[in-house]
Amino acid sequence: MTEHVLHPRIIENKDWITLVFIMAFGIIALTKSVYENRFEDFVKLIYSNKYIRIYRDSSHLMGMFSISLFFVQIISFSFFIQLLLSYLGYGSKTDWILFIQIFTFLIYFILSKFLIEKIIATTFNIEEFIEQFNLQKVTYRTYIGLLLLPVDIVLFYYDSILENIPLLVFYIILALNGLLYLISIKNYRNEIFSKLFYFILYLCTLEIAPYYFMYYWFTKSSV
């Protein structure tokens, strides 16, 4: 008599991921329809600095255009981090709880960093410069986030893609961020040199230390 052993069939729930992607593209479509001219200038950022020249006032940092695309950026980076963790064996790409944790962490991290930057900038009387400097960084990183969104979709739905692709994309993002940071420094070099000591202090405190401690914590916790 043959004994049949039943194994539970594990079905991964991917519906929430599809809804998240639809919501992200819905926000993009709504933003494009409301801010059509500005959005057209924004998508040309890869080969034109017209957007940077027109919307360089720091008040644009808290406008609805920037806020709506900020959420798309967070969605894009959160899901890519989840894909990267899945590739490294630290989670599942279909775990919606993990996605919420990453999403929440990124929002708290960015907002906390922003508030600390405001305090330091006010203390050293470099508030206007830091706000414009941050506006340019945020603009470029938002642009990277939008470009990353279709990459997230391809990496998620096509399992046949080479395994090392997520890591390669990660290194490309790091390289692009470094390049864009250098561009921002170049654009504001006169202001930076006039307040070089404060800028170096700002750089070490808020642009290097947080990421170093995050890397240190992650590598130690994974040992």
Side-chain angles (χ1 to χ4, degrees):
M1 182 177 180
T2 305
E3 183 179 355
H4 296 281
V5 179
L6 300 178
H7 296 280
R9 184 181 178 185
I10 301 175
I11 302 176
E12 294 181 327
N13 184 7
K14 301 180 181 181
D15 293 341
W16 69 269
I17 301 168
T18 304
L19 291 174
V20 168
F21 286 143
I22 292 174
M23 181 176 67
F25 282 109
I27 294 174
I28 295 173
L30 182 62
T31 304
K32 182 180 182 300
S33 64
V34 175
Y35 304 94
E36 186 173 356
N37 293 332
R38 184 174 178 179
F39 190 86
E40 288 180 1
D41 292 334
F42 179 76
V43 296
K44 296 175 184 176
L45 195 61
I46 193 170
Y47 58 85
S48 172
N49 64 346
K50 180 182 177 181
Y51 181 89
I52 296 295
R53 287 187 285 105
I54 294 176
Y55 303 100
R56 60 178 297 161
D57 190 274
S58 58
S59 62
H60 292 294
L61 190 62
M62 300 305 294
M64 285 306 300
F65 180 88
S66 299
I67 292 174
S68 59
L69 293 186
F70 168 77
F71 278 103
V72 176
Q73 174 197 177
I74 297 297
I75 290 173
S76 180
F77 281 115
S78 296
F79 194 71
F80 178 74
I81 292 172
Q82 184 161 348
L83 286 170
L84 194 62
L85 290 175
S86 175
Y87 165 76
L88 296 174
Y90 293 106
S92 171
K93 65 181 184 180
T94 58
D95 187 350
W96 64 274
I97 296 178
L98 178 60
F99 176 81
I100 292 175
Q101 290 173 337
I102 297 171
F103 185 87
T104 305
F105 172 78
L106 281 181
I107 289 181
Y108 275 106
F109 176 77
I110 293 173
L111 293 181
S112 299
K113 188 170 175 289
F114 175 76
L115 290 175
I116 296 173
E117 286 175 350
K118 291 280 287 184
I119 294 172
I120 292 179
T122 303
T123 303
F124 296 140
N125 198 25
I126 53 174
E127 189 172 6
E128 183 178 354
F129 159 65
I130 292 298
E131 285 181 351
Q132 290 187 354
F133 186 73
N134 280 336
L135 178 62
Q136 185 160 314
K137 286 192 306 174
V138 168
T139 300
Y140 282 124
R141 286 175 184 172
T142 301
Y143 193 80
I144 293 175
L146 263 64
L147 293 178
L148 184 62
L149 190 61
V151 177
D152 289 341
I153 295 174
V154 172
L155 290 177
F156 177 77
Y157 287 106
Y158 293 92
D159 295 326
S160 58
I161 293 179
L162 295 176
E163 291 185 355
N164 292 330
I165 292 297
L167 206 56
L168 177 62
V169 174
F170 174 71
Y171 289 135
I172 292 174
I173 292 173
L174 285 183
L176 284 175
N177 271 287
L179 178 62
L180 295 175
Y181 203 93
L182 291 176
I183 291 174
S184 298
I185 291 176
K186 177 178 176 294
N187 291 340
Y188 290 97
R189 59 185 179 275
N190 293 332
E191 293 87 345
I192 289 173
F193 287 138
S194 65
K195 302 179 183 295
L196 187 59
F197 173 76
Y198 296 129
F199 181 75
I200 292 174
L201 184 62
Y202 159 82
L203 193 68
C204 295
T205 306
L206 294 171
E207 296 295 337
I208 297 176
Y211 300 104
Y212 172 77
F213 285 121
M214 286 175 60
Y215 171 78
Y216 179 82
W217 172 80
F218 182 77
T219 53
K220 286 297 181 181
S221 61
S222 60
V223 173

